[in-house]
Amino acid sequence: MVALCLVGTLSACTHARVLQAHASVAQAERVNRDLDDRTGTITLHDGSRIDARDMRLSDDAVSWRQVDSTAVQSTRMTDLRELTFRSRLRGAFDGLVLGLLVGAPAGALFIDNPSGGSGRRLKAALSGGLSIGLWSGLVGAVKGSRMIYRVEAPSRTANQEDNARASSRDRQR
């Protein structure tokens, strides 16, 4: 049982979502709700990383304040590789669910005295599920779940594809 608690303490969840480089207004609003009052990291395509707060997404740009500054900065969505931040609420939920799923079977399997019958096993399963679930939920709330929004490059239009093929044919001649 101690080993299960240790594994739950050391593990963490990561959730990744894909954003379009030209996000719809609805998608930008959903992401902005997730980013509300969070500090995170902005990674650009050139590899630079920015510790940011007050991140906001629009349909074609992202704005933020650097952690140690009050000035607002922004860049085009096409320059953005990913937004990363921690969600403590999501971490608590993930920890609680995983703890319940692991703790209930562990409690039922590892009870001290199985002679009590199925009622004793049910009580042990509930006890194990709740104790490991609550512990994991607390740890999840402290550690948080890592949330990543990866920006997908805009797809090439049919016209751009035709131009690229024509250019390739011209070079081969």
Side-chain angles (χ1 to χ4, degrees):
M1 203 62 114
V2 172
L4 289 173
C5 289
L6 184 60
V7 168
T9 302
L10 297 176
S11 64
C13 292
T14 298
H15 302 275
R17 296 187 178 135
V18 176
L19 286 173
Q20 300 300 317
H22 296 286
S24 68
V25 173
Q27 187 180 32
E29 287 175 0
R30 182 173 44 86
V31 173
N32 286 334
R33 280 193 302 272
D34 286 349
L35 293 173
D36 198 31
D37 294 329
R38 301 223 197 291
T39 301
T41 302
I42 295 173
T43 306
L44 302 176
H45 280 292
D46 66 7
S48 58
R49 303 179 109 197
I50 303 159
D51 291 330
R53 62 185 172 89
D54 301 332
M55 296 177 279
R56 281 278 166 256
L57 208 65
S58 68
D59 59 343
D60 63 347
V62 62
S63 63
W64 69 90
R65 294 179 199 272
Q66 284 192 336
V67 170
D68 55 353
S69 173
T70 57
V72 175
Q73 297 177 332
S74 67
T75 191
R76 296 178 314 217
M77 286 288 290
T78 54
D79 295 335
L80 187 65
R81 180 181 298 159
E82 67 184 28
L83 299 169
T84 307
F85 61 95
R86 293 219 176 262
S87 172
R88 302 213 184 281
L89 182 61
R90 181 68 187 250
F93 177 76
D94 290 347
L96 180 65
V97 169
L98 289 173
L100 288 171
L101 291 174
V102 170
L109 291 174
F110 300 117
I111 59 172
D112 292 336
N113 183 7
S115 64
S118 62
R120 175 111 167 101
R121 282 204 190 277
L122 178 62
K123 185 176 177 183
L126 290 173
S127 174
L130 286 175
S131 61
I132 292 178
L134 291 174
W135 172 257
S136 297
L138 177 64
V139 169
V142 170
K143 291 180 77 171
S145 277
R146 186 170 178 232
M147 307 293 287
I148 301 172
Y149 280 101
R150 289 195 176 95
V151 179
E152 188 174 80
S155 62
R156 297 170 77 165
T157 64
N159 191 28
Q160 288 172 322
E161 291 290 334
D162 291 342
N163 290 340
R165 277 193 291 269
S167 175
S168 175
R169 279 192 302 259
D170 290 342
R171 276 183 265 143
Q172 290 175 352
R173 291 182 190 170

